[in-house]
Every structure is written in structure tokens, then in C-alpha cells.
Amino acid sequence: MTRFLGLFSRKEFIALSILALGLAVSPCRLEAQGSTLVGPDGSVDWNRYYSSGEVEQILREFSALFPELTELYTIGESLEGRKLWVMEVTAEGTGPASEKPALYLDGGIHSGELTGSQVALYALGQLLVGYGEDSEVTGLLERYAFYVRPKFNPDGSDLALIYDQSLRSTVRPWDEDEDGRFDEDPGEDLDGDGWITTMRIPDPEGDWYAHPEDDRIMVRMRGGRSGEESPAIPEGAVRYRVEAEGVDNDGDGRVNEDGIGGIDMNRNFPRNWELVHLQSGAGPFPLSEPETYATVEFINEHPNITSIVHGHTSGGFVYRLPSASAPSLFPTNDLALIEHLGVPYTETTGRPVRPSATHPTEHRYGTLMTWAYWDQGIIGWVPEYSPGPEAWVTDYDGDGEIDALEEMRFNDQELGGRYFSAWTSYRHPEEGDLEVGG
């Protein structure tokens, strides 16, 4: 069933886990370099995210610096006409990429999951600067090839990064609220601070209240309007409704319910695809999106690809096969191999490897890793790179848990308060006086 799987020795697999899964990031800040984004030694400022245009510039500069290791080309265009860039990396002196087993690494299929794109770009940089300096990297590039695609979804990624819009994937218009109109009620930056955050609206029957020890923090009640009995709230606590920042553009009584896009491109692949009544975001038909079509075409045309790392963001673990299919249908011999290959990742990082599908019918449909396995014999991995706050916020009271107060304190003391927007008063055209922030 699988393509040639003798791609990595155990040691090489661990090295690739550290590289491709972004777990050994050592940030290096650039000095001023004019209009360039890559230093003469191949260094890049890894302390920020990059737009699709900036990523293109970085790829071009990498290509100019490392011509003996790279080939840069496009595999198609996005819905809005942006180039879908792939960088091929191998030591060409030991043979062309097409004659070597290869790994395909991407990121950013989901618009707001910018970490996936950054890890792909970082891994690319480490391969290039490590060749000739690091024995493991040198060995990898002399024996194998890499196809690195940092921006799977450049349209959606730019919309999330530059305009702070919340959308799952492609920007293709979609009628999410089924009112016959498309994308007519997206979020809005009402207070002009550059972020689309939340609104807290005073409401004696609201489901939220301000934390008594830090009124910046909103605490959600059990029950609220649902009719269940709610626990007692602190005496004097003010109750609120909390909504996403915006207005009711279409007059249906809801805010931001039909934002930009609606299709999930990781539900748009042809193997075990389903209509939207079973799989939300699946799109009108398999490979309806130019980005997914280009992916399938590229992998079809590169039979030397033996593994896929499909980068995502949230959770701090790796999804493995099976994915968009009933686990009972999965070949047991391949499953044993996949479980075996996942062991070094956990040993190296301490993070788990989990099956994407565990139920015969309640699973995703139309994912990349399912199509790659069943149609191409490729084993794929879906790393969710970023762990939750329990992995990085200080447990100030030592109780073994991280609560909202500790998260806010960590943001204040360690992150300079960058990840909280102060509540500010705002006169809303529909709700009246409220506060925007969060």
C-alpha cells in the first residue's frame, strides 16, 4: 500500500522531527539590512510572521544565496491569483531531487494558523544554512529531497495576518447563514486598534461576568440563557453578553455570522469526500479550490514523495493516520508501521502522536492525509505545533493548573501585555454603550 518507506534511519527521523516539526527554534534577530529579508549568511528574523509577498521575497533570496541546493517554482495560482510557491531542496551534486526519496512539507492551509507556515519556512532555512555545517543536515540533503511550501493558502493567510479577519481557509465567498447572500457579515475593527477582538455588553441575564480579582478577565457561566441552573456568581459582579467585534450588517439579529469564506480546504480532497450536510466546509465538489487541485497535481507528478508533513497549529501533538475513514478499514500492517514511526517523535519531544479518526462514522472527510495514503500510498503527519498555555505559562500558585489569572499575569509580566487589548468604551449603533477589547 505505501510508497517506498526507507526514507529515514531512526537518527535521521529524529533530526527531521526537530527540523520539520519546529521544535528547536533558536530565534535570530536581523540587523538592519535595507530591503532584504535574508541576511548574507542565510539568517532570517524568526520573531515575526510574514505575508505571502514577504515569503515570496524570502524564497527568492534563499534561491539566490543557495543555487546549488534549491529550485524555486510555482505549482499554480490561488483563487485571487497569488502564486503557489514551492522550493525544492537537495544537494544537486549527488543527484537530482526527482531521483531521491522526498518529503513534502507545507503549512497554512487554515488561514489563521500562521505557525504552520512559519515552521515550514524555518525548516527550509535550517536545511539551507545547515548544509556543510551540520553533518545530519548535510546527510539528509545529499541522500534525500524536500519540497517545501510555506504558504498553502496565501489569500486566507494574508487576510488573517494583515486584516485580522477570522476565516477557516479559502476566501471563496460562501453563504454560511443560508440567507442567499455571501460573506455579508464579517467581523469589523470598530475601535480602530488594528484588531478584531470582542465586545462585552452589560446584560443582567448575560452568560458572562467580570472576574472579581481582575475585571479584564471574562468568566463564562454555566447555564445562562440556556435555562439550566447557574452557579452563584460573586456578589456585585456585573453580567455581560460577549460577542465578536462587529455589527449586524445584514439585519438578521446576529453579529458576524457570515464572514469571509466558509470552505475548509482540508475537507476538499477527493478521497472519502462528503457533501456539506455530513462535512461542513467541504466545498461544492472535491478539488473545487485551485490550491487543493494544485496540491494533488503536484504530488501526482512527484512519485518520489514518500512522506508528507502537513503543518497546522493548535494542540501541541501530531495527528497520524487513519484520518477521514473508519479505523476498521485501515490495514493493520500499515497501522503498525505508522505507530512505530511515531515513537521517536514522542521520545524526542515528549508530545503525543494521536490518530485523527477513532470512530467508524464520526470523523473528518476529505483530508489531505487520507487522499495521500489511499490514492498514493504516502504516510502523512499533521503536526498541531502550538501547545496550550499549560505548556508555557508559569504556574504561579504551584497548584499544577493554569488559570485565567495566571495567563493574564504571564502576559503582563513576560510578554509586555501584547496579547490583551484593554477594554475601551464604545457607542455601538445597535447595542448602545459597551466595551471593546479582550
Side-chain angles (χ1 to χ4, degrees), residues 47-66:
N47 292 309
R48 50 160 296 200
Y49 292 121
Y50 293 96
S51 69
S52 64
E54 290 172 320
V55 167
E56 177 181 343
Q57 179 180 339
I58 290 170
L59 294 177
R60 290 186 183 278
E61 292 178 13
F62 274 155
S63 182
L65 275 174
F66 303 100

Side-chain angles (χ1 to χ4, degrees), residues 245-410:
E245 186 177 355
V247 298
D248 178 14
N249 291 288
D250 56 359
D252 64 355
R254 294 179 290 172
V255 176
N256 301 353
E257 85 291 345
D258 193 357
I260 296 170
I263 294 174
D264 183 340
M265 287 194 284
N266 201 30
R267 308 294 183 267
N268 190 238
F269 288 91
R271 173 62 64 167
N272 208 18
W273 178 89
E274 277 292 352
L275 293 167
V276 293
H277 70 284
L278 286 180
Q279 177 59 72
S280 62
F285 55 86
L287 302 183
S288 60
E289 305 313 298
E291 297 89 347
T292 55
Y293 184 89
T295 305
V296 166
E297 189 173 49
F298 179 77
I299 294 172
N300 269 328
E301 292 173 352
H302 291 78
N304 61 319
I305 293 175
T306 64
S307 188
I308 289 173
V309 175
H310 186 42
H312 290 243
T313 287
S314 180
F317 60 90
V318 171
Y319 277 127
R320 63 160 173 84
L321 291 161
S323 179
S325 61
S328 62
L329 300 177
F330 206 82
T332 55
N333 57 339
D334 282 357
L335 181 59
L337 173 62
I338 291 164
E339 291 174 341
H340 172 73
L341 291 174
V343 170
Y345 175 80
T346 299
E347 290 178 345
T348 305
T349 68
R351 297 183 179 185
V353 179
R354 301 173 179 170
S356 179
T358 58
H359 190 276
T361 58
E362 295 175 4
H363 53 71
R364 302 166 182 83
Y365 292 89
T367 63
L368 171 58
M369 66 190 300
T370 289
W371 170 80
Y373 173 77
W374 290 104
D375 287 58
Q376 301 291 323
I378 300 172
I379 290 179
W381 309 89
V382 179
E384 299 282 359
Y385 292 118
S386 302
E390 67 281 355
W392 46 273
V393 170
T394 302
D395 180 13
Y396 293 101
D397 59 11
D399 67 352
E401 298 181 356
I402 301 299
D403 60 25
L405 287 169
E406 288 170 319
E407 290 184 40
M408 188 66 79
R409 179 178 172 183
F410 187 87

